[in-house]
Protein backbone atom coordinates (compact mmCIF):
# COMPACT_ATOMS: atom_id res chain seq x y z
CA UNK A 1 0.00 0.00 0.00
CA UNK A 2 2.82 2.44 0.85
CA UNK A 3 4.52 1.67 -2.47
CA UNK A 4 1.31 2.45 -4.38
CA UNK A 5 0.80 5.66 -2.41
CA UNK A 6 4.38 6.78 -3.07
CA UNK A 7 3.98 6.19 -6.80
CA UNK A 8 0.66 8.04 -6.88
CA UNK A 9 2.14 10.90 -4.84
CA UNK A 10 4.85 11.36 -7.49
CA UNK A 11 2.18 11.44 -10.21
CA UNK A 12 0.24 14.02 -8.20
CA UNK A 13 3.46 16.00 -7.72
CA UNK A 14 4.01 16.13 -11.47
CA UNK A 15 0.42 17.26 -12.01
CA UNK A 16 0.74 19.91 -9.27
CA UNK A 17 3.91 21.20 -10.90
CA UNK A 18 2.17 21.43 -14.28
CA UNK A 19 -0.76 23.33 -12.75
CA UNK A 20 1.57 25.66 -10.85
CA UNK A 21 3.73 26.52 -13.86
CA UNK A 22 0.75 26.87 -16.21
CA UNK A 23 -1.02 29.33 -13.92
CA UNK A 24 2.24 31.09 -13.07
CA UNK A 25 2.51 32.24 -16.68
CA UNK A 26 -0.67 34.29 -16.24
CA UNK A 27 0.33 35.56 -12.81
CA UNK A 28 3.58 37.23 -13.86
CA UNK A 29 2.06 39.89 -16.16
CA UNK A 30 -0.74 40.47 -13.65
CA UNK A 31 1.85 41.06 -10.92
CA UNK A 32 3.75 43.49 -13.13
CA UNK A 33 0.59 45.42 -14.00
CA UNK A 34 -0.29 45.79 -10.33
CA UNK A 35 2.85 47.87 -9.97
CA UNK A 36 1.01 50.72 -11.70
CA UNK A 37 -0.89 51.37 -8.47
CA UNK A 38 0.57 52.91 -5.35
CA UNK A 39 0.42 51.33 -1.92
CA UNK A 40 -1.74 50.36 -0.15
CA UNK A 41 -4.11 49.93 -3.12
CA UNK A 42 -1.45 47.86 -4.89
CA UNK A 43 -1.47 45.28 -2.10
CA UNK A 44 -5.27 45.15 -1.98
CA UNK A 45 -5.44 44.38 -5.72
CA UNK A 46 -2.56 41.90 -5.49
CA UNK A 47 -4.29 40.06 -2.64
CA UNK A 48 -7.35 39.47 -4.83
CA UNK A 49 -5.17 38.14 -7.64
CA UNK A 50 -3.29 35.78 -5.32
CA UNK A 51 -6.56 34.54 -3.87
CA UNK A 52 -7.84 33.59 -7.34
CA UNK A 53 -4.50 32.01 -8.29
CA UNK A 54 -4.17 29.83 -5.22
CA UNK A 55 -7.87 28.99 -5.23
CA UNK A 56 -7.44 27.66 -8.76
CA UNK A 57 -4.29 25.76 -7.85
CA UNK A 58 -5.84 24.00 -4.85
CA UNK A 59 -9.00 23.07 -6.75
CA UNK A 60 -7.08 21.52 -9.64
CA UNK A 61 -4.70 19.65 -7.34
CA UNK A 62 -7.43 18.16 -5.15
CA UNK A 63 -6.67 19.97 -1.88
CA UNK A 64 -9.71 21.18 0.05
CA UNK A 65 -9.20 24.25 2.23
CA UNK A 66 -11.08 25.08 5.42
CA UNK A 67 -10.78 28.48 7.11
CA UNK A 68 -12.21 29.37 10.49
CA UNK A 69 -12.31 32.69 12.33
CA UNK A 70 -11.96 34.99 9.33
CA UNK A 71 -14.75 37.17 10.68
CA UNK A 72 -12.06 38.65 12.94
CA UNK A 73 -10.88 40.77 10.03
CA UNK A 74 -14.21 42.61 9.84
CA UNK A 75 -12.94 44.68 12.76
CA UNK A 76 -11.08 46.90 10.27
CA UNK A 77 -7.76 47.14 12.03
CA UNK A 78 -4.29 46.01 11.08
CA UNK A 79 -3.03 42.90 12.83
CA UNK A 80 0.28 41.16 13.28
CA UNK A 81 -0.61 37.58 12.31
CA UNK A 82 1.55 34.71 13.54
CA UNK A 83 1.15 31.03 12.79
CA UNK A 84 2.90 27.69 13.04
CA UNK A 85 5.01 26.50 10.13
CA UNK A 86 5.30 22.84 9.15
CA UNK A 87 5.45 22.71 5.35
CA UNK A 88 6.22 24.57 2.13
CA UNK A 89 2.45 24.41 1.63
CA UNK A 90 1.89 26.91 4.46
CA UNK A 91 2.44 30.15 2.48
CA UNK A 92 0.10 29.18 -0.40
CA UNK A 93 -2.55 28.44 2.22
CA UNK A 94 -1.98 31.26 4.68
CA UNK A 95 -1.25 34.30 2.50
CA UNK A 96 -4.44 34.20 0.41
CA UNK A 97 -6.25 32.81 3.45
CA UNK A 98 -6.23 36.24 5.06
CA UNK A 99 -9.33 37.95 3.60
CA UNK A 100 -7.65 41.36 3.45
CA UNK A 101 -4.34 42.62 2.09
CA UNK A 102 -1.32 41.27 3.92
CA UNK A 103 2.41 41.06 3.46
CA UNK A 104 4.70 38.28 4.65
CA UNK A 105 8.28 38.46 5.88
CA UNK A 106 10.20 36.32 3.41
CA UNK A 107 13.71 35.15 2.54
CA UNK A 108 15.36 37.26 -0.14
CA UNK A 109 16.88 34.17 -1.78
CA UNK A 110 13.52 33.22 -3.31
CA UNK A 111 13.51 36.37 -5.44
CA UNK A 112 16.12 34.70 -7.65
CA UNK A 113 13.66 31.98 -8.76
CA UNK A 114 12.74 32.74 -12.41
CA UNK A 115 9.27 34.26 -12.87
CA UNK A 116 8.09 33.24 -9.41
CA UNK A 117 10.50 35.76 -7.89
CA UNK A 118 8.49 38.61 -9.45
CA UNK A 119 5.33 37.49 -7.66
CA UNK A 120 7.20 36.66 -4.48
CA UNK A 121 8.65 40.16 -4.25
CA UNK A 122 5.24 41.81 -4.71
CA UNK A 123 3.65 40.23 -1.64
CA UNK A 124 6.61 40.20 0.73
CA UNK A 125 8.87 42.19 2.98
CA UNK A 126 12.21 40.71 1.99
CA UNK A 127 15.03 39.97 4.41
CA UNK A 128 18.51 38.54 4.18
CA UNK A 129 18.76 36.85 7.56
CA UNK A 130 22.55 36.71 7.36
CA UNK A 131 22.78 40.48 6.97
CA UNK A 132 22.17 42.66 10.03
CA UNK A 133 21.46 45.77 7.94
CA UNK A 134 18.85 43.83 5.95
CA UNK A 135 17.19 42.61 9.15
CA UNK A 136 16.96 46.15 10.49
CA UNK A 137 15.57 47.47 7.20
CA UNK A 138 12.97 44.70 7.02
CA UNK A 139 11.80 45.60 10.53
CA UNK A 140 11.32 49.23 9.46
CA UNK A 141 9.40 48.04 6.41
CA UNK A 142 7.10 45.85 8.52
CA UNK A 143 6.20 48.90 10.60
CA UNK A 144 5.36 50.77 7.39
CA UNK A 145 3.15 47.89 6.26
CA UNK A 146 1.07 48.24 9.43
CA UNK A 147 0.99 52.03 9.10
CA UNK A 148 -0.52 51.62 5.62
CA UNK A 149 -3.41 49.66 7.13
CA UNK A 150 -2.20 46.28 5.89
CA UNK A 151 -1.70 43.12 7.93
CA UNK A 152 1.75 41.68 8.59
CA UNK A 153 2.03 37.87 8.54
CA UNK A 154 4.99 36.19 10.21
CA UNK A 155 6.08 32.63 11.01
CA UNK A 156 7.69 33.18 14.43
CA UNK A 157 9.42 29.79 14.36
CA UNK A 158 11.54 31.22 11.56
CA UNK A 159 11.64 28.01 9.56
CA UNK A 160 9.63 24.82 9.10
CA UNK A 161 9.23 22.71 12.20
CA UNK A 162 11.22 19.51 11.66
CA UNK A 163 10.78 18.27 15.22
CA UNK A 164 8.11 16.06 16.73
CA UNK A 165 7.03 18.89 19.00
CA UNK A 166 3.90 20.91 18.10
CA UNK A 167 6.00 24.09 17.90
CA UNK A 168 9.60 25.19 17.79
CA UNK A 169 10.89 28.06 19.89
CA UNK A 170 9.56 31.45 18.75
CA UNK A 171 11.83 34.32 17.70
CA UNK A 172 11.22 37.76 19.21
CA UNK A 173 10.71 39.92 16.10
CA UNK A 174 6.95 39.55 15.55
CA UNK A 175 6.18 40.20 19.20
CA UNK A 176 8.47 43.19 19.46
CA UNK A 177 6.78 44.57 16.33
CA UNK A 178 3.31 44.17 17.85
CA UNK A 179 4.28 45.71 21.20
CA UNK A 180 6.16 48.66 19.71
CA UNK A 181 3.40 49.51 17.21
CA UNK A 182 0.46 48.74 19.49
CA UNK A 183 -1.20 46.45 16.94
CA UNK A 184 -3.05 43.46 18.32
CA UNK A 185 -1.75 40.02 17.42
CA UNK A 186 -3.82 37.30 15.76
CA UNK A 187 -2.63 33.74 16.48
CA UNK A 188 -3.36 31.41 13.57
CA UNK A 189 -3.04 27.64 13.53
CA UNK A 190 -2.37 25.60 10.39
CA UNK A 191 -3.28 21.91 10.12
CA UNK A 192 -2.31 19.07 7.75
CA UNK A 193 -0.15 20.95 5.22
CA UNK A 194 2.67 18.55 6.09
CA UNK A 195 0.49 15.73 4.79
CA UNK A 196 0.32 17.41 1.38
CA UNK A 197 4.03 18.27 1.23
CA UNK A 198 5.85 16.20 3.89
CA UNK A 199 9.23 17.39 5.11
CA UNK A 200 10.97 14.08 4.60
CA UNK A 201 9.86 13.32 1.03
CA UNK A 202 11.12 14.66 -2.30
CA UNK A 203 8.83 15.37 -5.26
CA UNK A 204 5.79 14.20 -3.32
CA UNK A 205 2.28 15.72 -3.31
CA UNK A 206 -0.69 14.13 -1.64
CA UNK A 207 -4.18 15.69 -1.89
CA UNK A 208 -5.48 16.18 1.64
CA UNK A 209 -7.73 18.57 3.48
CA UNK A 210 -5.84 21.53 4.99
CA UNK A 211 -7.10 24.04 7.53
CA UNK A 212 -6.23 27.45 8.94
CA UNK A 213 -7.93 28.72 12.08
CA UNK A 214 -7.67 32.37 13.10
CA UNK A 215 -7.98 32.78 16.86
CA UNK A 216 -9.24 35.87 18.77
CA UNK A 217 -6.85 38.86 18.71
CA UNK A 218 -4.46 39.15 21.65
CA UNK A 219 -4.07 42.64 23.19
CA UNK A 220 -0.51 43.92 23.52
CA UNK A 221 -0.96 46.77 25.98
CA UNK A 222 1.14 46.64 29.16
CA UNK A 223 3.04 43.57 27.97
CA UNK A 224 6.67 43.09 27.10
CA UNK A 225 7.58 41.32 23.87
CA UNK A 226 8.67 38.32 25.93
CA UNK A 227 5.38 38.15 27.81
CA UNK A 228 3.42 38.40 24.57
CA UNK A 229 5.59 35.73 22.95
CA UNK A 230 5.03 33.30 25.82
CA UNK A 231 1.28 33.95 25.83
CA UNK A 232 0.85 33.44 22.09
CA UNK A 233 3.12 30.39 22.07
CA UNK A 234 0.89 28.79 24.69
CA UNK A 235 -2.30 29.71 22.81
CA UNK A 236 -1.11 28.23 19.49
CA UNK A 237 0.41 25.13 21.06
CA UNK A 238 -2.65 24.31 23.17
CA UNK A 239 -5.00 24.85 20.24
CA UNK A 240 -2.89 22.75 17.88
CA UNK A 241 -2.65 19.84 20.33
CA UNK A 242 -6.38 19.94 21.04
CA UNK A 243 -7.58 20.17 17.42
CA UNK A 244 -4.94 18.23 15.46
CA UNK A 245 -7.18 15.31 14.54
Amino acid sequence: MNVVKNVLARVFALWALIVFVSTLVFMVPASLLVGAWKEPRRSHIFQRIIRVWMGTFFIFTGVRRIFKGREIFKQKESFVIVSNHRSYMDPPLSCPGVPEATKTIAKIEMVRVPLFGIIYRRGSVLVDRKNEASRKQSYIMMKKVLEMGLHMSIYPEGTRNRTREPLQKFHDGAFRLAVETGHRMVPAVIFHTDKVLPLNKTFYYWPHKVEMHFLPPVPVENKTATELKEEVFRIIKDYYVKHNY
Side-chain angles (χ1 to χ4, degrees), residues 38-144:
K38 294 183 179 180
E39 292 286 16
R41 182 160 177 74
R42 179 191 301 163
S43 288
H44 286 286
I45 296 172
F46 184 71
Q47 184 75 4
R48 296 190 192 107
I49 294 172
I50 287 293
R51 194 176 300 132
V52 172
W53 181 33
M54 284 294 99
T56 301
F57 173 78
F58 280 116
I59 287 172
F60 276 92
T61 59
V63 174
R64 184 164 67 96
R65 297 174 299 166
I66 294 176
F67 296 103
K68 294 183 180 181
R70 289 202 286 189
E71 64 275 5
I72 288 168
F73 297 98
K74 294 180 180 179
Q75 299 182 42
K76 300 302 178 183
E77 64 177 286
S78 300
F79 295 117
V80 178
I81 305 165
V82 292
S83 63
N84 56 320
H85 190 18
R86 303 188 67 86
S87 169
Y88 279 131
M89 187 54 63
D90 295 337
L93 172 69
S94 62
C95 295
V98 178
E100 296 179 345
T102 182
K103 285 189 179 291
T104 304
I105 187 73
K107 296 183 293 186
I108 198 168
E109 293 88 345
M110 293 297 292
V111 173
R112 303 188 186 102
V113 178
L115 297 181
F116 177 72
I118 298 171
I119 303 167
Y120 188 83
R121 180 188 294 274
R122 186 70 74 199
S124 306
V125 172
L126 300 173
V127 60
D128 181 351
R129 293 174 180 171
K130 299 177 182 178
N131 186 301
E132 184 176 353
S134 176
R135 293 198 301 270
K136 289 181 179 179
Q137 182 60 31
S138 67
Y139 189 76
I140 293 171
M141 289 303 301
M142 287 192 289
K143 286 185 174 181
K144 289 182 178 179

Side-chain angles (χ1 to χ4, degrees), residues 8 29 42 87 110 133 150 164 169 175 233 245:
L8 285 174
R42 179 191 301 163
S87 169
M110 293 297 292
L150 308 176
R164 295 190 177 185
K169 181 180 178 181
F175 308 95
F233 183 93
Y245 45 86

Side-chain angles (χ1 to χ4, degrees), residues 194-207:
D194 53 344
K195 294 180 180 178
V196 180
L197 289 180
L199 284 168
N200 60 344
K201 293 183 182 293
T202 303
F203 203 70
Y204 183 105
Y205 190 96
W206 190 256

Side-chain angles (χ1 to χ4, degrees), residues 137-201:
Q137 182 60 31
S138 67
Y139 189 76
I140 293 171
M141 289 303 301
M142 287 192 289
K143 286 185 174 181
K144 289 182 178 179
V145 167
L146 294 169
E147 289 171 2
M148 287 190 293
L150 308 176
H151 304 294
M152 192 66 227
S153 296
I154 302 170
Y155 298 117
E157 293 170 281
T159 186
R160 292 169 298 156
N161 183 1
R162 296 178 178 274
T163 74
R164 295 190 177 185
E165 295 297 319
L167 291 175
Q168 297 181 104
K169 181 180 178 181
F170 281 177
H171 295 286
D172 295 334
F175 308 95
R176 184 160 59 93
L177 177 68
V179 168
E180 290 184 2
T181 61
H183 288 267
R184 291 196 292 171
M185 179 165 278
V186 170
V189 189
I190 293 172
F191 298 98
H192 311 314
T193 51
D194 53 344
K195 294 180 180 178
V196 180
L197 289 180
L199 284 168
N200 60 344
K201 293 183 182 293

